[in-house]
């Protein structure tokens, strides 16, 4: 779950999950959206890349839930 900070009205371009790792075939999606979210490992972190179209029209206003498989 990503909770928006005060004044934050849309998803950021990237979300960093510190000290986190995914298996190679992991998929990530934003609940309420059919688009897959790309991700990459950077050191001990995972970085989610949020597409511009998804940032402009998120399925919810203040909190976003990501499904990781």
């Amino acid at each position: 779950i990503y909770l928006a900070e005060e004044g934050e009205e849309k998803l950021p371009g990237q979300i960093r999950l510190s000290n986190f790792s995914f298996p190679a075939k992991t998929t990530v999606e934003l609940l309420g959206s059919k688009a897959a979210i790309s991700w990459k490992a950077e050191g001990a972190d995972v970085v989610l890349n949020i597409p511009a179209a998804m940032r402009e029209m998120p399925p919810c206003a203040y909190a976003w839930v990501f499904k990781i498989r």
Side-chain angles (χ1 to χ4, degrees):
I1 296 176
Y2 180 89
L3 181 61
E5 294 184 22
E6 188 173 334
E8 189 175 14
E9 297 179 3
K10 59 183 176 180
L11 283 160
Q14 293 186 328
I15 296 175
R16 179 176 294 272
L17 305 174
S18 299
N19 297 313
F20 208 84
S21 64
F22 291 163
K25 294 184 179 184
T26 298
T27 60
V28 180
E29 57 189 67
L30 177 64
L31 294 185
S33 172
K34 295 181 183 188
I37 294 176
S38 67
W39 62 272
K40 63 182 174 182
E42 284 189 358
D45 302 342
V46 170
V47 177
L48 306 180
N49 297 302
I50 313 302
M54 193 178 290
R55 292 192 318 263
E56 294 301 321
M57 296 199 61
C60 185
Y62 303 106
W64 301 285
V65 179
F66 294 91
K67 185 175 187 177
I68 301 168
R69 295 187 205 193

